[in-house]
Amino acid sequence: MRPVLPPWSGTLAAKAAAFITVMCCALAALLGVLVHVQVTNQTVGQARNQALQRLTQATERYEAGDTLRRGAGVDPPELPGELRDLAVAGDRGTMVAEREGRPTMWAAGPVDGERALAVAVDYSQQARTIEGLDRAILWSSGLAIGATLLVGAFAVTRVTRRLHTTALVARRISAGDLDARVNDPRTAPRTSPRTGLRRGPRTDPRTDPRTDPRTDLRAGPGTDPRTGPRTKAGPQDEVAAVAAALDSMAASLQGKLLAEQRFTADVAHELRTPLTGLHAAAELLPPGRPTELVRDRVAALRTLTEDLLEISRLDTGRERVELDTEQLGPLAERAVRAAGNGTEVRVVRDVSVETDRRRLERVLGNLVANAHRHGRGPVVLTVDGPVVTVRDHGDGFPEYLVAHGPQRFRTEGGTRGHGLGLTIARGQAEVLGARLEFANAPEGGAVATLKLAAE
């Protein structure tokens, strides 16, 4: 079973801080061990040589019958047993041990009668040196780790802040804001300064190097003879490359969307005039079933064209609302009566709202018409304060519509229609400053919820 980690542990900054800390600790431990071993070996080696040198002098004095100096003696009681056994066996050796509570370097060698001659050298200074070195290594390692962690955290935070900005822009773009850009300064090109041109004195064409065929006027590297120095792109890191790619993608999507919107508007405008004439001609046809079919198709085509024109006006963002105070309950009843499809209206709590009556009736009419066209009855419109809910009892909205909202000319499940009704409803709701949400009821059926601002 994997342990449950806190949410902050998954961030790049936390991972980078943990990595830097572990690497600094490992490096500090390695260097500390190397320095400690090197200095300890050197210190112990010097103390051992000094002790062996004194042992040699003591041995000479003992063999000459002279009195041994202080710190030297035969079989002293403080001599470690292991070192005494080594000396009795005929070998010379050294060992660090405690003597009278102080660290001492012992050196011992064999003498006659299976005895050991030993010399004690004070090792306190060397021990304090090694202990001080260990403390210095610990303190310096801690300071180095802290400083490295601060510098690393600062550097990583700058990167993560740019990544967060890029992710925020990406979320805005996915929400439909195609004007959002990262505009990372590291992606801006560096432009070489252009030299201003001044009109000089008149020159003789025969001696002017610009007109002399013998003069080589080829541009140097990085220079355009017509436009001057070329623009140079500065060095980019990986985050800047991602930001530049995101900005390029957003610009490309925005261009394609604007081209689609212009095409839709142009087609709708171009169709409007011939459809008006076609409608007038259809009205002049003699009564009969063929005439009814023609009139029905012409009416459907005119409705589609008007919807496209309305969408194109919404896309431009230049729609203006005409606000007035309206009672929401009676307004919803008028919208349902105008739709003429037998929708039940329930007013739980009526309120006054400041809104554009025509646009709000358009939103409610489209929601009710969509519920009757693509769902099943009964269709119920409920007014509960500034919240209006339209619900049917059909199969519900498609998953893409619930997740991303309505999309023009996209339908699923073999349903008829062009996806324009809900697109217009959402666009008009945005113009009104309202929020239109789509969901599916747990027991079945589609639910469209319009949230208005109460007065």
Side-chain angles (χ1 to χ4, degrees):
M1 182 178 178
R2 297 181 60 183
V4 179
L5 300 177
W8 57 264
S9 63
T11 62
L12 180 60
K15 293 179 181 179
F19 176 76
I20 293 173
T21 303
V22 171
M23 293 303 298
C24 288
C25 290
L27 183 60
L30 178 61
L31 294 178
V33 169
L34 291 177
V35 172
H36 173 82
V37 170
Q38 183 67 23
V39 174
T40 300
N41 290 339
Q42 183 178 0
T43 304
V44 172
Q46 292 176 354
R48 181 181 292 112
N49 292 336
Q50 182 182 3
L52 290 175
Q53 185 178 3
R54 290 189 181 183
L55 177 62
T56 301
Q57 296 173 357
T59 302
E60 293 175 353
R61 295 180 67 84
Y62 179 79
E63 292 176 350
D66 296 336
T67 304
L68 298 176
R69 295 180 179 179
R70 182 179 179 182
V74 178
D75 289 336
E78 299 92 350
L79 182 65
E82 297 179 2
L83 186 58
R84 184 182 184 284
D85 295 340
L86 180 65
V88 171
D91 295 325
R92 301 176 67 182
T94 59
M95 178 180 291
V96 178
E98 292 287 335
R99 180 191 180 195
E100 297 178 357
R102 303 179 64 181
T104 302
M105 174 65 75
W106 288 93
V111 293
D112 56 343
E114 296 185 354
R115 293 185 298 174
L117 177 62
V119 175
V121 179
D122 187 19
Y123 192 70
S124 301
Q125 182 62 35
Q126 292 83 344
R128 285 194 296 269
T129 300
I130 295 175
E131 184 178 355
L133 175 65
D134 292 342
R135 286 197 299 267
I137 290 175
L138 290 177
W139 280 104
S140 61
S141 299
L143 291 176
I145 292 173
T148 306
L149 188 59
L150 289 177
V151 174
F154 174 74
V156 172
T157 301
R158 293 187 62 186
V159 175
T160 55
R161 187 182 298 116
R162 294 168 60 195
L163 288 175
H164 282 308
T165 301
T166 304
L168 178 61
V169 172
R171 284 193 289 268
R172 289 174 57 189
I173 293 173
S174 65
D177 183 9
L178 296 183
D179 291 326
R181 298 291 186 272
V182 180
N183 292 328
D184 195 310
R186 292 168 180 78
T187 62
R190 295 183 292 107
T191 305
S192 300
R194 298 280 302 274
T195 302
L197 299 179
R198 295 180 298 174
R199 184 179 298 276
R202 295 180 62 86
T203 58
D204 188 349
R206 294 173 295 179
T207 60
D208 190 354
R210 293 175 295 177
T211 60
D212 190 348
R214 295 170 297 176
T215 304
D216 187 4
L217 294 179
R218 289 177 296 177
T223 304
D224 190 331
R226 294 168 298 177
T227 61
R230 289 196 297 263
T231 299
K232 299 179 180 179
Q236 294 184 2
D237 55 14
E238 289 78 3
V239 180
V242 173
L246 182 62
D247 288 347
S248 176
M249 180 196 70
S252 177
L253 289 176
Q254 189 175 37
K256 292 179 180 179
L257 181 60
L258 291 176
E260 176 189 341
Q261 293 173 355
R262 285 194 298 269
F263 175 76
T264 302
D266 292 343
V267 168
H269 280 289
E270 292 297 329
L271 288 177
R272 192 174 191 179
T273 300
L275 279 177
T276 302
L278 185 60
H279 176 73
E283 294 297 328
L284 298 177
L285 293 176
R289 180 60 179 169
T291 300
E292 294 178 0
L293 294 176
V294 171
R295 291 175 179 174
D296 179 70
R297 292 300 87 198
V298 170
L301 192 55
R302 288 191 67 184
T303 301
L304 176 60
T305 303
E306 294 298 330
D307 288 345
L308 291 176
L309 285 172
E310 186 171 359
I311 288 178
S312 66
R313 289 193 298 270
L314 292 173
D315 288 337
T316 59
R318 293 194 295 266
E319 291 289 286
R320 296 293 180 266
V321 295
E322 298 177 0
L323 297 178
D324 196 4
T325 302
E326 300 283 346
Q327 285 297 121
L328 191 54
L331 189 148
E333 293 175 351
R334 287 197 303 270
V336 169
R337 284 197 302 269
N341 39 28
T343 301
E344 180 183 356
V345 179
R346 299 175 183 174
V347 180
V348 178
R349 180 168 59 93
D350 195 8
V351 294
S352 296
V353 293
E354 189 175 5
T355 185
D356 188 324
R357 179 181 58 81
R358 181 183 63 83
R359 297 184 188 277
L360 183 54
E361 289 180 351
R362 175 69 161 156
V363 173
L364 298 180
N366 281 15
L367 294 178
V368 170
N370 182 81
H372 282 280
R373 183 178 300 114
H374 301 292
R376 288 191 297 270
V379 176
V380 181
L381 185 149
T382 304
V383 177
D384 188 1
V387 179
V388 181
T389 303
V390 178
R391 181 190 173 185
D392 61 50
H393 292 76
D395 298 329
F397 290 121
E399 293 183 2
Y400 81 88
L401 194 149
V402 175
H404 306 290
Q407 301 177 20
R408 65 191 71 177
F409 301 112
R410 178 175 180 180
T411 57
E412 290 186 0
T415 57
R416 298 176 58 188
H418 306 91
L420 301 181
L422 294 183
T423 303
I424 293 174
R426 185 179 65 174
Q428 294 289 8
E430 292 176 355
V431 173
L432 293 173
R435 188 166 71 251
L436 182 57
E437 300 175 350
F438 302 94
N440 291 322
E443 59 274 15
V447 181
T449 303
L450 180 65
K451 298 180 179 179
L452 299 163
E455 189 178 34

